[in-house]
Each structure stands twice: as structure tokens, then as C-alpha cells.
Amino acid sequence: MLKIESYTVEKLEDPFGILSGDRYEFFLELDVPEEDELYSENGVMLRVIFLKDEEKEQISKYEFIENDTKNVLDFELEEDEETAILAFCREHYDADEEDPTIENLNN
């Protein structure tokens, strides 16, 4: 299971009003154990685009990124991890209206 160390979230603006619903961009700082194949000495974060509209809430896109180099890593979330990340996004998407950075989260 992924452990989230900290995160930021920002509501993305649609200047042309073309897209339905609201989109939020999350950057989740992950604590990845050394024995995990996702581990990197440079640290790893997960960028998530979360979609919320009247009919659904879903992950629109995600990618693992190496912190220091900003290289995109070719990994996919496991089904249980994706479910947990979706639940996290549902719970925290409006945090940008409160405190945009929360430290020491355990998931």
C-alpha cells in the first residue's frame, strides 16, 4: 500500500468552459520502501488529475514522477492502490480552499 507523506492540491481552471465538472491536480509525496521496485533515491511523487462533476468522481489521469529529476516513471497503480488514491482525492480535493499543504499523512 502506498504511504502518502504530504500532498498539495490545486483546482485547475478551464478558461474556455469546454470541460464538464471540476478538475483538481494533486501532487502526492510518497514514502516508498527501498525494497519496492518503485523506490528511487531521488524520491517519488504521484501526480493525479481528479475529476468531480454532478455524476461522477474519478481519477482522470495519474503518473509517477521522480522528485529530483521530474522524470515520469513507467509504473501503474494496483487496483487497491487506485481505490485508496481515489478515496484520498474525494476526501481532500477541497483542501486548496483551506490549507493547501498537509504534512505527515498516513494512508
Side-chain angles (χ1 to χ4, degrees):
M1 185 57 74
L2 296 175
K3 181 177 178 187
I4 300 170
E5 290 279 308
S6 64
Y7 77 98
T8 59
V9 58
E10 180 180 340
K11 184 175 181 182
L12 300 176
E13 299 300 323
D14 177 15
F16 302 105
I18 296 172
L19 303 171
S20 65
D22 294 322
R23 281 161 181 73
Y24 298 86
E25 181 178 48
F26 283 83
F27 285 97
L28 309 175
E29 296 285 335
L30 304 177
D31 179 18
V32 180
E34 284 188 44
E35 62 275 359
D36 192 306
E37 65 182 340
L38 181 60
Y39 176 79
S40 168
E41 289 181 4
N42 297 319
V44 177
M45 73 175 112
L46 180 63
R47 177 180 175 257
V48 178
I49 305 298
F50 173 68
L51 167 66
K52 177 175 177 33
D53 67 17
E54 294 175 8
E55 299 176 15
K56 62 184 175 255
E57 296 176 336
Q58 66 185 39
I59 294 174
S60 177
K61 177 182 178 180
Y62 69 84
E63 56 195 3
F64 288 98
I65 301 172
E66 196 172 47
N67 285 354
D68 291 348
T69 65
K70 304 302 182 216
N71 289 332
V72 174
L73 303 172
D74 188 24
F75 287 94
E76 292 185 16
L77 289 169
E78 294 178 10
E79 188 175 327
D80 61 330
E81 293 172 332
E82 189 166 350
T83 300
I85 295 298
L86 178 58
F88 181 88
C89 292
R90 285 180 174 147
E91 185 177 331
H92 296 93
Y93 73 90
D94 60 353
D96 67 329
E97 297 169 8
E98 299 164 6
D99 182 8
T101 305
I102 307 296
E103 299 293 333
N104 297 324
L105 293 173
N106 293 315
N107 252 358

